[in-house]
Amino acid sequence: MNPLDETEIRTSFVNCSKGEARRLNLPKGLAELPWDALDFLGWRDPGAPDRSYLVAERDGRPVGVTLRVPNVRRSLTRTNVCSFCIATHAGSGVSLLTARRAGAAGRQGNSVGTYMCADLACSLYLRGLKRSALVSRPEESLTLDEQIARIVTNVDRFLDQVLEAGVPA
């Protein structure tokens, strides 16, 4: 992913108002992030534990979405799989993150959701730069480049759903 500055991130959001985008908390150490190891920028809001944000490149420009995280406790004995990077986590390491749809559909209350790494560090898990607490990552037959392509495709599909103007099927 290409490095982004504060203005690029704030203007990229498609499912919140400009005022909300101006007020959201950006990730700490933005300039020091491992941009070359990121397939998308994702972070939890330290000031609001039920909010997360995702910014990905689409057609050469950043597209950002605000996400909600439900307050659900999960069993530490169960494992869950992220639908973006296929990382396996115990307990609350995977969360259902929901995004209000863009435009009129979102203003009417329509949203879409996906199960993904609760800390939104999918790119780092994929590359082995971060490890799941209690569970090891399964071996895959795909090459790293193929796994990266899969995560980008999965993020694009999710963003397609957020940007879709119609009511969910």
Side-chain angles (χ1 to χ4, degrees):
M1 178 166 193
N2 291 317
L4 300 172
D5 63 27
E6 179 179 343
T7 302
E8 290 171 312
I9 293 170
R10 291 189 189 284
T11 58
S12 73
F13 285 91
V14 296
N15 68 342
C16 68
S17 70
K18 290 180 182 178
E20 288 172 305
R22 275 194 305 269
R23 291 186 301 272
L24 64 85
N25 292 317
L26 294 178
K28 299 222 184 282
L30 192 59
E32 291 80 40
L33 289 176
W35 291 101
D36 57 340
L38 296 178
D39 304 303
F40 65 89
L41 174 62
W43 72 99
R44 297 286 294 259
D45 189 328
D50 66 332
R51 286 189 220 146
S52 293
Y53 309 99
L54 183 149
V55 179
E57 291 178 355
R58 287 178 56 101
D59 301 322
R61 67 180 187 87
V63 174
V65 294
T66 61
L67 303 162
R68 293 289 180 190
V69 183
N71 188 9
V72 176
R73 294 186 183 228
R74 296 190 185 257
S75 167
L76 288 176
T77 60
R78 299 184 93 188
T79 59
N80 300 293
V81 178
C82 172
S83 63
F84 281 6
C85 67
I86 319 301
T88 306
H89 296 274
S92 60
V94 170
S95 291
L96 172 64
L97 300 178
T98 59
R100 189 172 58 209
R101 287 187 186 266
R107 289 189 295 278
Q108 293 171 358
N110 295 320
S111 62
V112 294
T114 190
Y115 286 94
M116 66 182 292
C117 296
D119 61 2
L120 290 91
C122 299
S123 300
L124 303 180
Y125 290 115
L126 181 72
R127 290 167 174 81
L129 299 174
K130 191 169 186 179
R131 302 220 184 275
S132 178
L134 301 171
V135 182
S136 62
R137 185 165 162 73
E139 282 293 319
E140 291 199 55
S141 59
L142 299 177
T143 67
L144 179 59
D145 287 340
E146 291 169 330
Q147 292 176 55
I148 291 168
R150 178 183 60 206
I151 203 172
V152 169
T153 298
N154 291 341
V155 170
D156 278 344
R157 284 184 185 146
F158 180 69
L159 291 176
D160 285 345
Q161 292 176 330
V162 172
L163 295 167
E164 190 175 288
V167 178

